[in-house]
Amino acid sequence: MNQFNTRKAALAAASAIAISMAVVGAAQAQNATTTLRGAVFDGQTVEAGATVVATEVSTGYATRSRVGADGRYVLSGLRPGTYRVQVTSADGQTAEETVTLSLGQVGTLNLDVASTATTGAATDGATELGEIVVTGRRVFEVRTPEVATNVTQQQINNLPQISRNFLNFAALAPGLRVTEDDTERTISAGGQTAQAINVFIDGQNRKSLINDGGVAGQDDSRGTPFPQGAVQEFRVISQNFKAEYEQAGSAIITAVTRSGTNEFHGDAFVFYQDPDWVAQDQISERRGAEKAPVRRLQYGASLGGPIIQDRLHFFGAYERKDEDRVAQSFLNRTEYNDFFAADLGTVSTPYEQDVFFGKLSWQIDDRQRLEFSTEYKTEEDIRGASGQNAPSRAARNNGETQAFNLRHQFQGQHFLNEFSVDYLKSSYEQSVINGSDYGREYVIFRDNVPDNVNVPGSAGFQYSYNNRDSTVFTAGGRADAQFLQQESTTIRNDLTIPDLAWMGTHTIKIGAKYSMQNYFVQKDFGRNPTFVYDIEGRPEINGSRTIPVAVNLGVAVPPADVDNNVVGLYIQDDWQITDKLEINLGLRWDYEDNAVNNDYRTPDSIRDMLAAIQNLPGYDFPSYFNPADYVSDGDRKAFKGAFQPRFGFSYDVFGDEQTVVFGGAGRYYDRVGFNFAFDERFKPFQFNKSIYFSNAGGPRGGQDTIAWDPRYLTPAGLDPLLAASPGAGEVFLVKNDFEPPRTDQFNIGVRQKFGRWQTALTLAAGHTEGESAWNIANALTATGGRFDGPTPGSVGFSQFRNLIFFQNTDKERDYKAVYFTADKPYNAEDRWGFNVAYTYMDATQNGSRDNGYGAFDFDYNTPSQSPEYRSSTDERHRIVASGTLGLPADFLLSGIVTLGSGLPYNINDCPNAPAGGPNVCWNAGNPDKRAFLPGLNFAYRQVDLRLTKGFDVFGGQRVEFIADAINIFNFTNYKSFDTGFNSARYGAGTEAYLPTRSFQMGLRYSF
């Protein structure tokens, strides 16, 4: 049944692609182009029958369009850039303008063959700009329902940053937050987690299909997912994106890459950061630790130019990043410093990344363009040797990305067709460095039965292995390794039919995609034995710090190698009813045939165990869990209901593109990373074997123990013991009728232009349903007793642990926000630009507090029983302002100011905790605010500056010296806090965000 449905869905997509290709040729990928439209006049009369030609100034590529009977024209599929637009009337009259178009915009340019000037005021970013409304640095498209922000190459090149990751500048858009620590960078939007965004590069979908992070290759990485020097510009759509966009519930980021031109151009750069240029964080300084220095070196180059003038061009870029951090191993329980003296201190944790990008662009003729690009990225990171982990615990993290993208564009007489084939392989590997050294975990045990004169046998210390107070330190080789790889080949076709006349003018876009995906996941958890020691050496236990109380080892589990076929279809109608009113109507449908183990058969042992529990006298599973809804015969039906209507409008109040009211609503289906469904395949067979030791053997600490012998520290001595231990796995169950998470978005707003300033005020809202989490199935009742119900072991299935987890999708989120933006684009005439984005948000949710795909909820039976509380991404107020100012003597000063009210934190021992749950007020704590300016207090404060001095040298070459100052005032921005309401340090920061004050020097050469 499932195969039959898959074939039908794939056939539907292939048919849609074939129909559009039969009409045209093929074309460029979606999300990588721009559109120019307008009307042609001869004085006060519309000019029909004219021809409009837009020629890209840098390459000579020409695009043609007809002028309809109503005088209107549409030029679709244009690359972002500067164009010379020429119209020739039927009787030979001409008019010409030069305009600059930004990514994703729909620009308006009216031309008058009776005059050499075009109606309307010029805007920034073009050589001459008639009535173009979305050009320049950060572009606000006037007649669109999208809440979008364009980030230009001028901003990417000149705004301050340390890491050369272009996605850092997504924070310039309202509603988005970029968070950095020393191991990764995440982007969240719309009150949701990082998993809800999606990134497109030249139309290629870069969604992370397996693990967290939202972007392939970004999770758990210090590097960049793509070379910044190869990015021409990008666009952030915070809300109400059109039907051509897929697999995102919060925001879309779409980038276009640089191309070669008719002139050779290139650059080379080097940036360096010395350890002495980075300030110590306040937390480690307060602890009395030495500063953990960071040394960073980044360098690279790019080159582009013509192979055949006006026809064939090339571009290539390479970037390298070397980073050496010094990790600190330290104890919170300093009374044991002497025992661990050999393991404490600092150790180097280097990071290396190489990224290559190449591109060929071929203008076959005036109607066809072909582009081919390729990317290769590799990175290696040493980490895990910090905090309460010895240097011997370090792991090696390797990432690799391979991609190519072939795009072909055909401009017909009455249509545009865009066709692409792309390939993406992204892998992440974590391996053990010191695998020959067994692990050692040193813990403190609690008294299992506190002294009570009324309780016999409670006097003194009562040992139980499962009652631990804390882990003091770990040393030796790590236990876990894993390898994750997503691979996809995607065929996509988009057909645009502009200028259809019926009650106005319609631009119809129809698209289809078919993606063949493979997920490979291998997890070797616990494969290096780890011995557990009593650091206190209590006589009630083993009386020694050197005799272990237990050893743990995981068994090998075969990897998952899963194929998934993905189909997407959409239609979009941009309907210009009048010169003032435009309606945008779209419908999208997505389908995956094996997103959540649709081909997986539940093992007989799990079936029999569930039946045995259900047949227990006096017990039935809680009402929210029916085993029949989760037991699969390998034919789970794939979800076919992902229909996503999208609506938008814009109304130009006075018809002059100065005041525009806009709004929209839409449904957006996201997806669940395979890492979630993988647990159903993996966890039941991930047996963790534990063997317990004592001096003499026998019952001890609630376990049967074996008398300790030092030979158990060797494989020859330990392997026979482990082979005789049965071990136990965990049962995880995925819903048979699973539906992916969906978000309904709503917005209404107004845009107002004041001279060269573009401003916008938007009211936005969203409601999300269907996020997945693991809840406990074998609870005693439907409202409680989560850990008290019958266990698999109680019905004879000792190969499974006590808890049974099932997929619950009842979690909900609500989001309300106000966005205000003001933008004055930078231009060469007045040499200054400024923009600001303010966000007010109120983001709430229920259910699990975990933010990743592997979310658990141990506190409530179901999400409906949990209280509604603030989401962890709910920063009520956030301001991001950036600007660039040209100074005398060819100096350029730029900066970014980021201010926020901070993210919330949990309050433990909370006097106002909701009844029926733990004594916690979830995300109810607010960070203390501190002064930024007199009367302006914020919990998050950061000011970044860059000063550039340029020198023009012979032959059009240029050299620039660059100095970056990040967090120049060294504000401490806390990300975790003392959450105990009764603690003397309640609300005090315990961990800080990066960066601290950091300086960087750079040199850039260009020609």
Side-chain angles (χ1 to χ4, degrees):
M1 179 69 72
N2 189 50
Q3 293 179 347
F4 174 72
N5 290 339
T6 301
R7 288 198 299 270
K8 289 200 300 184
L11 180 61
S15 300
I17 293 172
I19 290 171
S20 56
M21 289 179 64
V23 183
V24 286
Q28 194 175 23
Q30 65 174 4
N31 316 327
T33 59
T34 187
T35 298
L36 181 66
R37 68 184 181 185
V40 178
F41 297 90
D42 185 353
Q44 300 297 315
T45 305
V46 296
E47 178 69 27
T51 300
V52 178
V53 180
T55 303
E56 189 175 15
V57 174
S58 63
T59 64
Y61 294 173
T63 303
R64 302 176 184 274
S65 175
R66 67 184 178 88
V67 177
D70 58 357
R72 294 176 177 173
Y73 73 92
V74 177
L75 289 163
S76 300
L78 301 175
R79 273 186 51 82
T82 299
Y83 286 83
R84 185 174 63 254
V85 183
Q86 185 179 58
V87 59
T88 304
S89 67
D91 58 2
Q93 294 178 299
T94 64
E96 183 177 303
E97 290 289 340
T98 301
V99 297
T100 297
L101 305 175
S102 291
L103 175 63
Q105 76 170 57
V106 179
T108 303
L109 176 64
N110 296 331
L111 296 161
D112 190 346
V113 297
S115 173
T116 57
T118 303
T119 305
T123 58
D124 302 297
T127 307
E128 296 177 46
L129 291 180
E131 198 180 353
I132 191 75
V133 298
V134 278
T135 60
R137 186 165 55 88
R138 286 187 59 220
V139 177
F140 276 92
E141 195 177 359
V142 175
R143 290 178 175 174
T144 177
E146 293 180 338
V147 181
T149 302
N150 280 64
V151 181
T152 69
Q153 196 171 74
Q154 186 274 332
Q155 291 173 292
I156 295 171
N157 286 341
N158 295 311
L159 289 178
Q161 67 162 330
I162 290 290
S163 60
R164 286 190 62 83
N165 187 333
F166 77 95
L167 292 177
N168 286 335
F169 300 124
L172 300 177
L176 272 79
R177 193 179 201 278
V178 179
T179 302
E180 178 185 0
D181 61 26
D182 61 352
T183 60
E184 66 180 8
R185 181 175 290 98
T186 58
I187 304 170
S188 58
Q192 300 187 55
T193 63
Q195 287 71 252
I197 71 162
N198 202 354
V199 171
F200 296 84
I201 298 178
D202 283 341
Q204 184 179 52
N205 187 333
R206 293 298 184 100
K207 185 83 170 184
S208 178
L209 303 177
I210 298 177
N211 52 347
D212 296 338
V215 186
Q218 187 67 81
D219 182 54
D220 219 18
S221 170
R222 297 192 216 176
T224 174
F226 194 80
Q228 178 171 294
V231 176
Q232 177 174 323
E233 60 181 284
F234 68 96
R235 178 177 174 92
V236 182
I237 310 176
S238 303
Q239 264 222 330
N240 207 24
F241 35 95
K242 293 183 180 179
E244 62 191 287
Y245 296 103
E246 61 190 344
Q247 294 183 341
S250 60
I252 290 287
I253 301 173
T254 176
V256 63
T257 58
R258 295 171 62 187
S259 298
T261 67
N262 277 334
E263 296 183 358
F264 286 100
H265 60 88
D267 69 349
F269 68 87
V270 59
F271 287 92
Y272 176 72
Q273 183 180 71
D274 191 82
D276 292 337
W277 302 349
V278 181
Q280 183 174 7
D281 70 277
Q282 189 179 89
I283 302 299
S284 65
E285 186 176 19
R286 183 191 304 158
R287 194 175 61 242
E290 297 180 9
K291 185 178 81 169
V294 179
R295 177 180 284 106
R296 183 182 284 114
L297 176 65
Q298 300 172 95
Y299 56 91
S302 68
L303 178 66
I307 299 175
I308 302 174
Q309 286 279 335
D310 293 338
R311 288 297 181 189
L312 183 61
H313 303 85
F314 76 93
F315 177 82
Y318 165 73
E319 296 194 12
R320 166 80 177 186
K321 181 177 182 179
D322 287 304
E323 185 176 292
D324 193 1
R325 294 179 183 267
V326 175
Q328 293 181 327
S329 297
F330 60 89
L331 294 176
N332 290 325
R333 300 292 296 264
T334 56
E335 64 267 32
Y336 301 114
N337 276 356
D338 291 342
F339 184 78
F340 296 106
D343 289 311
L344 301 181
T346 60
V347 63
S348 175
T349 56
Y351 172 84
E352 300 174 354
Q353 183 184 57
D354 293 284
V355 194
F356 304 84
F357 175 77
K359 184 177 184 181
L360 290 174
S361 305
W362 180 22
Q363 178 87 4
I364 301 173
D365 53 38
D366 285 354
R367 292 183 178 273
Q368 297 185 78
R369 181 182 301 175
L370 185 70
E371 289 189 351
F372 176 78
S373 61
T374 184
E375 175 201 353
Y376 178 73
K377 181 187 77 171
T378 181
E379 60 185 337
E380 179 177 282
D381 188 4
I382 305 300
R383 64 170 64 173
S386 62
Q388 285 73 62
N389 294 287
S392 55
R393 296 289 287 176
R396 178 180 289 109
N397 286 12
N398 291 83
E400 185 178 43
T401 298
Q402 301 175 43
F404 75 76
N405 198 352
L406 178 68
R407 307 184 301 278
H408 179 266
Q409 184 184 72
F410 183 88
Q411 181 74 57
Q413 186 68 24
H414 304 293
F415 57 81
L416 168 74
N417 197 76
E418 300 168 295
F419 173 80
S420 69
V421 178
D422 69 68
Y423 171 82
L424 175 66
K425 181 166 71 173
S426 179
S427 64
Y428 167 81
E429 181 179 19
Q430 183 182 68
S431 57
V432 176
I433 294 178
N434 302 302
S436 60
D437 185 12
Y438 58 84
R440 299 179 295 280
E441 181 182 8
Y442 296 89
V443 304
I444 295 176
F445 291 94
R446 289 193 186 97
D447 184 358
N448 194 50
V449 184
D451 292 354
N452 187 331
V453 295
N454 298 317
V455 179
S458 65
F461 184 87
Q462 305 299 315
Y463 166 53
S464 172
Y465 177 80
N466 293 318
N467 195 348
R468 301 185 184 187
D469 177 79
S470 60
T471 297
V472 174
F473 200 68
T474 56
R478 295 182 70 90
D480 299 338
Q482 57 181 323
F483 179 80
L484 291 75
Q485 179 176 281
Q486 67 177 68
E487 187 174 12
S488 62
T489 300
T490 302
I491 304 170
R492 187 189 313 267
N493 198 78
D494 302 279
L495 172 66
T496 302
I497 306 174
D499 209 18
L500 293 177
W502 180 76
M503 298 180 65
T505 303
H506 299 258
T507 298
I508 305 295
K509 191 169 186 179
I510 304 170
K513 85 157 191 179
Y514 174 57
S515 183
M516 296 164 283
Q517 300 178 354
N518 175 263
Y519 316 137
F520 183 89
V521 179
Q522 181 172 358
K523 296 189 178 183
D524 295 317
F525 286 174
R527 295 296 296 136
N528 190 34
T530 299
F531 289 85
V532 181
Y533 294 85
D534 167 29
I535 185 60
E536 294 182 311
R538 284 185 168 275
E540 299 91 346
I541 304 179
N542 285 338
S544 172
R545 294 175 176 174
T546 60
I547 297 178
V549 297
V551 63
N552 299 306
L553 181 72
V555 302
V557 181
D561 190 351
V562 175
D563 292 322
N564 183 29
N565 294 289
V566 181
V567 176
L569 305 171
Y570 77 90
I571 182 169
Q572 178 77 37
D573 180 9
D574 296 331
W575 180 11
Q576 192 171 356
I577 299 176
T578 69
D579 290 338
K580 294 183 177 182
L581 178 63
E582 180 168 331
I583 301 294
N584 308 98
L585 303 172
L587 179 65
R588 181 175 188 89
W589 178 74
D590 289 301
Y591 172 86
E592 300 185 54
D593 74 346
N594 195 17
V596 284
N597 298 337
N598 298 76
D599 62 351
Y600 171 79
R601 183 185 184 279
T602 306
D604 289 337
S605 58
I606 295 178
R607 296 166 182 254
D608 295 341
M609 178 271 295
L610 293 172
I613 291 179
Q614 191 149 26
N615 291 330
L616 285 173
Y619 179 80
D620 196 0
F621 283 109
S623 57
Y624 50 75
F625 175 74
N626 181 357
D629 295 334
Y630 296 84
V631 171
S632 171
D633 291 324
D635 58 354
R636 281 183 177 139
K637 294 182 179 179
F639 180 61
K640 300 177 183 177
F643 291 96
Q644 302 155 76
R646 301 175 187 181
F647 164 80
F649 78 93
S650 61
Y651 182 72
D652 186 353
V653 177
F654 303 108
D656 57 1
E657 298 185 342
Q658 297 293 304
T659 306
V660 176
V661 178
F662 64 93
R667 171 160 289 185
Y668 305 88
Y669 274 97
D670 203 347
R671 70 184 312 280
V672 173
F674 181 69
N675 221 15
F676 183 89
F678 174 76
D679 281 347
E680 184 181 43
R681 297 173 178 263
F682 175 71
K683 290 289 189 179
F685 308 103
Q686 184 204 357
F687 289 177
N688 288 319
K689 298 186 176 184
S690 297
I691 298 173
Y692 305 95
F693 302 110
S694 64
N695 289 318
R700 193 80 167 176
Q703 308 292 338
D704 290 328
T705 67
I706 294 174
W708 171 248
D709 189 320
R711 66 189 178 91
Y712 296 148
L713 291 175
T714 67
L718 184 61
D719 286 348
L721 292 181
L722 292 171
S725 174
E730 291 181 304
V731 175
F732 285 70
L733 300 168
V734 169
K735 291 180 67 174
N736 290 333
D737 60 350
F738 165 76
E739 296 184 15
R742 66 180 184 273
T743 299
D744 295 326
Q745 294 184 358
F746 313 88
N747 71 300
I748 189 167
V750 60
R751 298 187 182 95
Q752 180 63 54
K753 187 175 181 182
F754 300 97
R756 291 187 173 184
W757 285 85
Q758 296 277 5
T759 65
L761 178 66
T762 307
L763 305 180
H767 178 73
T768 302
E769 297 182 0
E771 287 189 33
S772 292
W774 296 115
N775 285 66
I776 298 172
N778 55 329
L780 187 62
T781 68
T783 58
R786 289 174 300 281
F787 307 100
D788 302 325
T791 65
S794 69
V795 291
F797 291 84
S798 59
Q799 69 268 42
F800 301 124
R801 297 185 189 177
N802 290 344
L803 297 180
I804 301 170
F805 294 100
F806 74 103
Q807 179 188 21
N808 185 290
T809 58
D810 294 337
K811 184 175 181 177
E812 298 184 15
R813 294 180 185 268
D814 284 294
Y815 177 72
K816 297 180 285 291
V818 178
Y819 303 146
F820 173 76
T821 57
D823 177 42
K824 188 273 177 188
Y826 178 90
N827 62 76
E829 178 184 350
D830 53 24
R831 299 190 68 210
W832 74 276
F834 177 81
N835 61 277
V836 61
Y838 165 74
T839 301
Y840 167 82
M841 75 162 66
D842 180 2
T844 60
Q845 67 174 80
N846 64 5
S848 172
R849 273 71 55 206
D850 296 342
N851 287 327
Y853 284 130
F856 286 85
D857 194 343
F858 294 103
D859 298 306
Y860 302 95
N861 290 50
T862 62
S864 62
Q865 297 174 26
S866 81
E868 183 180 31
Y869 56 91
R870 291 175 64 188
S871 298
S872 61
T873 56
D874 179 34
E875 186 172 30
R876 286 295 164 89
H877 302 276
R878 188 168 182 84
I879 301 170
V880 180
S882 70
T884 304
L885 176 64
L887 301 174
D890 211 7
F891 279 93
L892 191 70
L893 178 67
S894 62
I896 301 176
V897 178
T898 305
L899 305 170
S901 56
L903 297 177
Y905 58 87
N906 296 333
I907 302 176
N908 295 308
D909 301 319
C910 180
N912 300 316
N919 194 23
V920 180
C921 293
W922 306 110
N923 293 330
N926 294 302
D928 290 337
K929 297 179 175 63
R930 288 154 290 163
F932 175 69
L933 292 173
L936 288 176
N937 299 328
F938 295 93
Y940 189 98
R941 304 162 296 165
Q942 184 171 324
V943 178
D944 304 333
L945 296 176
R946 168 174 286 189
L947 183 65
T948 303
K949 167 59 180 172
F951 298 91
D952 291 321
V953 294
F954 59 89
Q957 301 174 77
R958 184 173 176 83
V959 175
E960 294 176 324
F961 293 95
I962 302 167
D964 286 307
I966 306 299
N967 194 5
I968 190 170
F969 298 114
N970 203 27
F971 292 127
T972 298
N973 298 308
Y974 293 109
K975 69 176 181 180
S976 62
F977 305 86
D978 187 325
T979 61
F981 185 80
N982 298 319
S983 169
R985 290 182 48 80
Y986 167 64
T990 58
E991 188 178 6
Y993 285 110
L994 293 178
T996 57
R997 179 165 53 215
S998 307
F999 297 99
Q1000 177 177 262
M1001 301 299 295
L1003 177 67
R1004 184 163 57 204
Y1005 162 77
S1006 61
F1007 66 92

